[in-house]
Each structure stands twice: as structure tokens, then as C-alpha cells.
Amino acid sequence: MSLVSDQAYRWYCSELHVHSVLSPCAEIEMLPPLVIERALQLGLDIIAITDHNASENVPAFQRAAWGTGITIIPGMEVQTREEVHVICLFDTLEQMTVWQCAVNEALPGLKNRPEYFGEQLRVNAEGEILKRDERLLITSVSLGLQDVVQQVRALEGLAIPAHIDRRAFGLLGSLGMVPEGLPLEALEISRHLTCEAATERYPSLHNFPLLRSGDAHRLSEMTTLTSFYMAAPSVAEMRLALQGIDGRKIVVR
């Protein structure tokens, strides 16, 4: 018997891979007010802010989203020792802070070169620059893929390998396969590939729920390709939807 009435569910249009100006490769337009405005135009209900190895701009986005009906999921795109990008999603800032501390310890301690990599900007809810992050964020940490997945799961977060079909920093491009025994709950394919094309090209993907996200580094790259049918806009509910628990589900266009 279902523990939640189907009437308690609704569809949540989601974009789970959005970079802010804290990512050196993101455009300067990726500021809280402009990202939220674009999300409202698209009809998004959930956005995950997923900067490279960093999460310090998440609170600013949450404040910017107050009163809009949009939920901001604390996230990060971590680059593992194997040069695989993994989206890490959490329900609370407390979980995110614990994970950020682990990533900070695993960063190599190099300084950013803005003239080469781009600026890394911490901002407030209004999009005003508060600080330039001098760490080199767009690099591999010393944590392996298995370490990342296990530690994120231990914090009750979701660890989802990103744009797995991409040659650069994608799981299949970097490793050539999905490692056996790795407890993955979903995989992300790029916005340029449909789920049907992905499973035809890579038959092993039939074993995993697939998401499509924008990997948005500019406003025009934000997408509405993934929707969850669930009881609340949370990572915990996303996990249940990925498993199809009690009528929850995910639809990917």
C-alpha cells in the first residue's frame, strides 16, 4: 500500500546542473537575480547550483529565490581523481558544508589564474561581488570516484556522474564504462543526447535512470528536460522518484 496519496504528488520541472560566476568557465550573467529570472521564464520549479568543487554561492541563490516558488538545491560539480565530473546534491546547507570541507581538504592548493581560467566570484543575492576566490577550483581533487560516491551517500546526498557521454570529464569518456559495483542511483547525459540515443549507443545504460541537464554556463543553456513526480522538491524525494517508490517517477524529454 502506498504511504503517500497520489493527490499529494505534483510535477516539478528541474534543472540540476547550473553554474554560477563562482565557476571560472561560467559567463558573468550567471548571477542570482538573472538565473532566477530565467528560471521563472522557463517555468522551472527546482534548480541545483553546481559550481566546480565549490558551493559558496548557494546561499545567495537561495535568498534570491525566496518568494518565487523556486527551490534551490545545494550542489557541487566535483572533479574526481580520475577526471570524472560528478554532480553532488544535498537537501541542506549543513550537509553541503560538511561535503565542502572534505573537498577543500582534497583540493591541490593551487592558485587560480584568472587571465587563463576566468574569474571565480562570490556574490550576494543581488549579484554584487563580495570576493574573488583565489583557489584553483577547476581541477581534480585527490578523491577517487568511489570515494566521492560513498561519502556523498553517507551524507544522504545524491552523487550523479555528469554528462557521461562527453569525451572530456564524462564517465564513459574517461573510464570507458560504468564501473561494476559502484552504487550509482542515476546518470546524467548531456542536453545534446536523448535517452533513446544514449541507451542505443551505450546498452549498459538501460540499468540506470537517466537525467538530462543543461550544464548551464550561460542563461541560454538552462533546460527544462527533466521532471520529477513527487511529494516535495527535495533530494530525498528525488531519490524515491528515481527508484519509482509509491508512484513517484521521473520523466525526461
PDB file of all heavy atoms in Angstrom, residues 21-26 112-121 133 135-136 138:
ATOM      1  N   VAL A  21      28.756  32.345 -11.244  1.00  0.00           N
ATOM      2  CA  VAL A  21      30.013  33.037 -11.532  1.00  0.00           C
ATOM      3  C   VAL A  21      31.161  32.578 -10.639  1.00  0.00           C
ATOM      4  O   VAL A  21      32.293  33.028 -10.817  1.00  0.00           O
ATOM      5  CB  VAL A  21      29.834  34.565 -11.405  1.00  0.00           C
ATOM      6  CG1 VAL A  21      29.003  35.114 -12.539  1.00  0.00           C
ATOM      7  CG2 VAL A  21      29.233  34.932 -10.049  1.00  0.00           C
ATOM      8  N   LEU A  22      30.896  31.674  -9.700  1.00  0.00           N
ATOM      9  CA  LEU A  22      31.980  31.078  -8.924  1.00  0.00           C
ATOM     10  C   LEU A  22      32.752  30.066  -9.761  1.00  0.00           C
ATOM     11  O   LEU A  22      33.913  29.765  -9.475  1.00  0.00           O
ATOM     12  CB  LEU A  22      31.425  30.419  -7.653  1.00  0.00           C
ATOM     13  CG  LEU A  22      32.425  29.856  -6.645  1.00  0.00           C
ATOM     14  CD1 LEU A  22      33.479  30.892  -6.254  1.00  0.00           C
ATOM     15  CD2 LEU A  22      31.700  29.353  -5.403  1.00  0.00           C
ATOM     16  N   SER A  23      32.125  29.533 -10.804  1.00  0.00           N
ATOM     17  CA  SER A  23      32.823  28.662 -11.749  1.00  0.00           C
ATOM     18  C   SER A  23      33.551  29.542 -12.757  1.00  0.00           C
ATOM     19  O   SER A  23      32.934  30.399 -13.395  1.00  0.00           O
ATOM     20  CB  SER A  23      31.839  27.749 -12.481  1.00  0.00           C
ATOM     21  OG  SER A  23      31.274  26.798 -11.609  1.00  0.00           O
ATOM     22  N   PRO A  24      34.853  29.360 -12.924  1.00  0.00           N
ATOM     23  CA  PRO A  24      35.604  30.267 -13.797  1.00  0.00           C
ATOM     24  C   PRO A  24      35.193  30.197 -15.262  1.00  0.00           C
ATOM     25  O   PRO A  24      35.437  31.135 -16.018  1.00  0.00           O
ATOM     26  CB  PRO A  24      37.059  29.806 -13.614  1.00  0.00           C
ATOM     27  CG  PRO A  24      36.960  28.391 -13.166  1.00  0.00           C
ATOM     28  CD  PRO A  24      35.714  28.323 -12.331  1.00  0.00           C
ATOM     29  N   CYS A  25      34.555  29.097 -15.658  1.00  0.00           N
ATOM     30  CA  CYS A  25      34.135  28.924 -17.046  1.00  0.00           C
ATOM     31  C   CYS A  25      32.730  29.458 -17.309  1.00  0.00           C
ATOM     32  O   CYS A  25      32.240  29.395 -18.440  1.00  0.00           O
ATOM     33  CB  CYS A  25      34.202  27.448 -17.415  1.00  0.00           C
ATOM     34  SG  CYS A  25      33.516  26.360 -16.148  1.00  0.00           S
ATOM     35  N   ALA A  26      32.061  29.980 -16.279  1.00  0.00           N
ATOM     36  CA  ALA A  26      30.702  30.498 -16.445  1.00  0.00           C
ATOM     37  C   ALA A  26      30.738  31.959 -16.898  1.00  0.00           C
ATOM     38  O   ALA A  26      31.667  32.706 -16.572  1.00  0.00           O
ATOM     39  CB  ALA A  26      29.922  30.378 -15.142  1.00  0.00           C
ATOM     40  N   ASN A 112      44.295  30.184  -8.550  1.00  0.00           N
ATOM     41  CA  ASN A 112      43.654  30.430  -9.832  1.00  0.00           C
ATOM     42  C   ASN A 112      44.448  31.442 -10.653  1.00  0.00           C
ATOM     43  O   ASN A 112      45.088  32.344 -10.107  1.00  0.00           O
ATOM     44  CB  ASN A 112      42.229  30.956  -9.617  1.00  0.00           C
ATOM     45  CG  ASN A 112      41.476  31.140 -10.916  1.00  0.00           C
ATOM     46  OD1 ASN A 112      41.626  30.343 -11.841  1.00  0.00           O
ATOM     47  ND2 ASN A 112      40.667  32.183 -11.004  1.00  0.00           N
ATOM     48  N   ARG A 113      44.397  31.277 -11.953  1.00  0.00           N
ATOM     49  CA  ARG A 113      44.966  32.256 -12.886  1.00  0.00           C
ATOM     50  C   ARG A 113      43.805  32.823 -13.692  1.00  0.00           C
ATOM     51  O   ARG A 113      43.413  32.258 -14.713  1.00  0.00           O
ATOM     52  CB  ARG A 113      45.989  31.589 -13.798  1.00  0.00           C
ATOM     53  CG  ARG A 113      47.234  31.089 -13.075  1.00  0.00           C
ATOM     54  CD  ARG A 113      48.097  30.235 -13.983  1.00  0.00           C
ATOM     55  NE  ARG A 113      48.430  30.931 -15.226  1.00  0.00           N
ATOM     56  CZ  ARG A 113      48.934  30.321 -16.301  1.00  0.00           C
ATOM     57  NH1 ARG A 113      49.105  29.001 -16.286  1.00  0.00           N
ATOM     58  NH2 ARG A 113      49.220  31.008 -17.382  1.00  0.00           N
ATOM     59  N   PRO A 114      43.221  33.942 -13.220  1.00  0.00           N
ATOM     60  CA  PRO A 114      42.018  34.483 -13.875  1.00  0.00           C
ATOM     61  C   PRO A 114      42.215  34.795 -15.353  1.00  0.00           C
ATOM     62  O   PRO A 114      41.271  34.652 -16.143  1.00  0.00           O
ATOM     63  CB  PRO A 114      41.737  35.760 -13.075  1.00  0.00           C
ATOM     64  CG  PRO A 114      42.407  35.546 -11.765  1.00  0.00           C
ATOM     65  CD  PRO A 114      43.609  34.728 -12.053  1.00  0.00           C
ATOM     66  N   GLU A 115      43.414  35.206 -15.719  1.00  0.00           N
ATOM     67  CA  GLU A 115      43.649  35.551 -17.119  1.00  0.00           C
ATOM     68  C   GLU A 115      43.595  34.314 -18.019  1.00  0.00           C
ATOM     69  O   GLU A 115      43.404  34.436 -19.242  1.00  0.00           O
ATOM     70  CB  GLU A 115      45.004  36.253 -17.273  1.00  0.00           C
ATOM     71  CG  GLU A 115      46.226  35.374 -17.128  1.00  0.00           C
ATOM     72  CD  GLU A 115      46.592  35.043 -15.675  1.00  0.00           C
ATOM     73  OE1 GLU A 115      45.868  35.467 -14.758  1.00  0.00           O
ATOM     74  OE2 GLU A 115      47.607  34.347 -15.478  1.00  0.00           O
ATOM     75  N   TYR A 116      43.744  33.154 -17.420  1.00  0.00           N
ATOM     76  CA  TYR A 116      43.726  31.905 -18.187  1.00  0.00           C
ATOM     77  C   TYR A 116      42.438  31.122 -17.996  1.00  0.00           C
ATOM     78  O   TYR A 116      41.810  30.683 -18.966  1.00  0.00           O
ATOM     79  CB  TYR A 116      44.925  31.037 -17.792  1.00  0.00           C
ATOM     80  CG  TYR A 116      45.066  29.773 -18.606  1.00  0.00           C
ATOM     81  CD1 TYR A 116      45.592  29.804 -19.896  1.00  0.00           C
ATOM     82  CD2 TYR A 116      44.673  28.544 -18.090  1.00  0.00           C
ATOM     83  CE1 TYR A 116      45.720  28.651 -20.648  1.00  0.00           C
ATOM     84  CE2 TYR A 116      44.798  27.384 -18.824  1.00  0.00           C
ATOM     85  CZ  TYR A 116      45.328  27.441 -20.113  1.00  0.00           C
ATOM     86  OH  TYR A 116      45.448  26.290 -20.862  1.00  0.00           O
ATOM     87  N   PHE A 117      42.027  30.957 -16.726  1.00  0.00           N
ATOM     88  CA  PHE A 117      40.848  30.144 -16.417  1.00  0.00           C
ATOM     89  C   PHE A 117      39.562  30.965 -16.310  1.00  0.00           C
ATOM     90  O   PHE A 117      38.472  30.448 -16.539  1.00  0.00           O
ATOM     91  CB  PHE A 117      41.057  29.373 -15.104  1.00  0.00           C
ATOM     92  CG  PHE A 117      42.166  28.376 -15.152  1.00  0.00           C
ATOM     93  CD1 PHE A 117      43.354  28.606 -14.484  1.00  0.00           C
ATOM     94  CD2 PHE A 117      42.031  27.204 -15.885  1.00  0.00           C
ATOM     95  CE1 PHE A 117      44.384  27.685 -14.531  1.00  0.00           C
ATOM     96  CE2 PHE A 117      43.058  26.271 -15.946  1.00  0.00           C
ATOM     97  CZ  PHE A 117      44.248  26.513 -15.268  1.00  0.00           C
ATOM     98  N   GLY A 118      39.668  32.221 -15.909  1.00  0.00           N
ATOM     99  CA  GLY A 118      38.495  33.059 -15.672  1.00  0.00           C
ATOM    100  C   GLY A 118      38.356  33.403 -14.202  1.00  0.00           C
ATOM    101  O   GLY A 118      38.951  32.760 -13.328  1.00  0.00           O
ATOM    102  N   GLU A 119      37.556  34.425 -13.916  1.00  0.00           N
ATOM    103  CA  GLU A 119      37.317  34.856 -12.546  1.00  0.00           C
ATOM    104  C   GLU A 119      36.433  33.854 -11.800  1.00  0.00           C
ATOM    105  O   GLU A 119      35.585  33.182 -12.401  1.00  0.00           O
ATOM    106  CB  GLU A 119      36.650  36.228 -12.523  1.00  0.00           C
ATOM    107  CG  GLU A 119      37.527  37.357 -13.029  1.00  0.00           C
ATOM    108  CD  GLU A 119      38.515  37.848 -11.978  1.00  0.00           C
ATOM    109  OE1 GLU A 119      38.650  37.198 -10.920  1.00  0.00           O
ATOM    110  OE2 GLU A 119      39.142  38.889 -12.217  1.00  0.00           O
ATOM    111  N   GLN A 120      36.634  33.774 -10.481  1.00  0.00           N
ATOM    112  CA  GLN A 120      35.822  32.945  -9.602  1.00  0.00           C
ATOM    113  C   GLN A 120      35.232  33.872  -8.548  1.00  0.00           C
ATOM    114  O   GLN A 120      35.920  34.271  -7.606  1.00  0.00           O
ATOM    115  CB  GLN A 120      36.683  31.849  -8.962  1.00  0.00           C
ATOM    116  CG  GLN A 120      37.331  30.934 -10.000  1.00  0.00           C
ATOM    117  CD  GLN A 120      38.340  29.959  -9.401  1.00  0.00           C
ATOM    118  OE1 GLN A 120      38.615  28.918  -9.989  1.00  0.00           O
ATOM    119  NE2 GLN A 120      38.888  30.269  -8.249  1.00  0.00           N
ATOM    120  N   LEU A 121      33.949  34.219  -8.706  1.00  0.00           N
ATOM    121  CA  LEU A 121      33.355  35.309  -7.935  1.00  0.00           C
ATOM    122  C   LEU A 121      32.330  34.798  -6.926  1.00  0.00           C
ATOM    123  O   LEU A 121      31.405  34.062  -7.273  1.00  0.00           O
ATOM    124  CB  LEU A 121      32.686  36.307  -8.876  1.00  0.00           C
ATOM    125  CG  LEU A 121      33.580  36.882  -9.979  1.00  0.00           C
ATOM    126  CD1 LEU A 121      32.761  37.779 -10.903  1.00  0.00           C
ATOM    127  CD2 LEU A 121      34.763  37.640  -9.392  1.00  0.00           C
ATOM    128  N   ASP A 133      37.495  34.334  -5.363  1.00  0.00           N
ATOM    129  CA  ASP A 133      38.073  33.118  -4.793  1.00  0.00           C
ATOM    130  C   ASP A 133      39.395  32.853  -5.482  1.00  0.00           C
ATOM    131  O   ASP A 133      39.455  32.705  -6.709  1.00  0.00           O
ATOM    132  CB  ASP A 133      37.115  31.941  -4.986  1.00  0.00           C
ATOM    133  CG  ASP A 133      37.427  30.772  -4.073  1.00  0.00           C
ATOM    134  OD1 ASP A 133      38.627  30.473  -3.909  1.00  0.00           O
ATOM    135  OD2 ASP A 133      36.499  30.177  -3.512  1.00  0.00           O
ATOM    136  N   ARG A 135      41.468  30.250  -4.944  1.00  0.00           N
ATOM    137  CA  ARG A 135      41.804  28.847  -5.143  1.00  0.00           C
ATOM    138  C   ARG A 135      41.568  28.458  -6.597  1.00  0.00           C
ATOM    139  O   ARG A 135      40.673  28.994  -7.253  1.00  0.00           O
ATOM    140  CB  ARG A 135      40.937  27.954  -4.260  1.00  0.00           C
ATOM    141  CG  ARG A 135      41.014  28.235  -2.777  1.00  0.00           C
ATOM    142  CD  ARG A 135      39.936  27.438  -2.043  1.00  0.00           C
ATOM    143  NE  ARG A 135      38.588  27.832  -2.452  1.00  0.00           N
ATOM    144  CZ  ARG A 135      37.480  27.176  -2.122  1.00  0.00           C
ATOM    145  NH1 ARG A 135      37.568  26.073  -1.386  1.00  0.00           N
ATOM    146  NH2 ARG A 135      36.294  27.597  -2.524  1.00  0.00           N
ATOM    147  N   LEU A 136      42.360  27.540  -7.101  1.00  0.00           N
ATOM    148  CA  LEU A 136      42.064  26.973  -8.411  1.00  0.00           C
ATOM    149  C   LEU A 136      40.984  25.920  -8.229  1.00  0.00           C
ATOM    150  O   LEU A 136      41.228  24.844  -7.670  1.00  0.00           O
ATOM    151  CB  LEU A 136      43.312  26.349  -9.040  1.00  0.00           C
ATOM    152  CG  LEU A 136      43.093  25.715 -10.419  1.00  0.00           C
ATOM    153  CD1 LEU A 136      42.653  26.764 -11.438  1.00  0.00           C
ATOM    154  CD2 LEU A 136      44.354  25.007 -10.891  1.00  0.00           C
ATOM    155  N   ILE A 138      38.861  24.725 -10.795  1.00  0.00           N
ATOM    156  CA  ILE A 138      38.602  23.890 -11.959  1.00  0.00           C
ATOM    157  C   ILE A 138      39.774  22.918 -12.154  1.00  0.00           C
ATOM    158  O   ILE A 138      40.590  23.025 -13.054  1.00  0.00           O
ATOM    159  CB  ILE A 138      38.318  24.762 -13.204  1.00  0.00           C
ATOM    160  CG1 ILE A 138      37.755  23.928 -14.339  1.00  0.00           C
ATOM    161  CG2 ILE A 138      39.522  25.583 -13.609  1.00  0.00           C
ATOM    162  CD1 ILE A 138      37.114  24.724 -15.437  1.00  0.00           C
TER     163      ILE A 138
END
